[in-house]
Every structure is written in structure tokens, then in C-alpha cells.
Amino acid sequence: DQSLTPYEIIGEERLSALVNAFYNQVAKHPDLIEIFPDDFTETIRKQKQFLTQYLGGPSLYTHEHGHPMLRARHLPHVITPTRANAWLQCMTVAMDEVGLEGDLREALFHRLSLTAQHMVNTPDRAE
Ligand code: HEM
């Protein structure tokens, strides 16, 4: 049905499983772990809210936190191209784990790649 949003296609349960699986990867990724808090509870809760609205579901994130302003909210964190790639790598594993496949996966991953690039605020060290 073409009138379904990506959020409706993926479903609340699978989106929740995706975000849980994603932060499970982030928590053990050497390039990412140092910039995240020890306790992921709140991060996971916000990301579920954010991705719900990003995929066309209810505006849960904005309702509680205001405009996402994602790039601004990421400025306190050092986000290099290496870290953006690591983030996307964690998302790839999470998508595999929850069995997200096909057009929906392709479209979501493509959009997340663009958003991740947009979050980069620091170059990799030239060595
Ligand atoms: C928050 C890192 C990309 C969405 C955060 C936080 C870090 C972080 C360290 C703070 C966690 C906390 O204190 O709870 C990164 C890195 C990225 C990246 C390294 C690599 C490019 C993205 C992308 C999205 C996103 C692509 C959107 C799909 C969010 C959201 C929050 C967040 C919604 C919570 C903001 C808030 O505090 O309200 N991110 N992020 N991030 N990130 Fe990212």
C-alpha cells in the first residue's frame, strides 16, 4: 500500500529492536564507545523517538525535546569521518540482526548515510 509511511512498514516493534541492536554495537565499537555515556538508556529512548518521526511516524522527539537541530546537538561531540563510518557500520550490523532487507533498508540506509555525513564536525587527524 503506497499510503503507508516507512514507519508503518517497519513497525514500532522492529524499529525498537533495530535501535537496541544498534546501540549494542556502538557500546562495543572502539571508535565510538569513548564519546557515548556509560548508560545508554536515555540515548536509546531519544533515538527511538527521533527515528519514529524521521520515518514519518508521530513527532515524539519534537514533542518532548523541541526541534531536533541534529547537527547542533552533535557539536559537543568530536565527530570525524572515521566515526561517521563506524556509526554506519554499527547500523549495518543492526539491520542484519533484525532482518531489515530490501527497498526499505536501502532507502533508510541511504538517508542515514547523508545524515551521518552531515554530523561530521572534525576532520580525521592527518598523519
Ligand atoms: C545523540 C554520536 C550520527 C541521532 C548522540 C550522542 C552522541 C552521538 C555521542 C550523545 C549521546 C548521549 O549523550 O545520550 C553520533 C556519531 C554519529 C552520529 C558519532 C556519526 C555520524 C547520528 C545520526 C543520527 C543521530 C545519523 C540520526 C539518524 C542522534 C539523536 C541523538 C544523538 C536523535 C539524541 C540527541 C539528544 O540529546 O536529544 N549522537 N551520532 N546521530 N544522535 Fe547521534
Side-chain angles (χ1 to χ4, degrees):
D1 185 343
Q2 296 191 332
S3 67
L4 291 178
T5 63
Y7 173 73
E8 288 167 317
I9 298 169
I10 189 168
E12 182 180 354
E13 207 172 305
R14 207 156 40 135
L15 182 60
S16 179
L18 178 69
V19 173
N20 292 338
F22 171 72
Y23 285 107
N24 220 25
Q25 292 303 313
V26 169
K28 60 187 186 194
H29 199 298
D31 294 332
L32 296 175
I33 186 58
E34 65 197 272
I35 60 168
F36 279 87
D38 293 337
D39 184 350
F40 280 80
T41 313
E42 195 57 16
T43 313
I44 288 172
R45 197 177 72 83
K46 287 177 177 172
Q47 188 64 275
K48 285 177 184 172
Q49 293 177 319
F50 178 78
L51 289 178
T52 295
Q53 73 185 57
Y54 189 78
L55 292 170
S59 301
L60 302 179
Y61 183 92
T62 296
H63 183 76
E64 184 172 330
H65 314 285
H67 192 286
M69 304 181 301
L70 269 199
R71 192 167 196 283
R73 289 191 205 259
H74 283 77
L75 284 180
H77 311 287
V78 174
I79 303 191
T80 58
T82 296
R83 285 191 171 138
N85 284 332
W87 195 103
L88 291 166
Q89 203 180 308
C90 291
M91 186 55 74
T92 298
V93 174
M95 285 173 162
D96 286 344
E97 284 184 1
V98 304
L100 189 63
E101 287 164 355
D103 292 351
L104 182 59
R105 177 185 179 134
E106 296 298 309
L108 176 56
F109 192 81
H110 177 69
R111 246 186 108 190
L112 290 173
S113 307
L114 299 179
T115 304
Q117 283 167 42
H118 185 59
M119 293 307 127
V120 173
N121 54 32
T122 310
D124 281 311
R125 265 176 61 202
E127 290 177 294

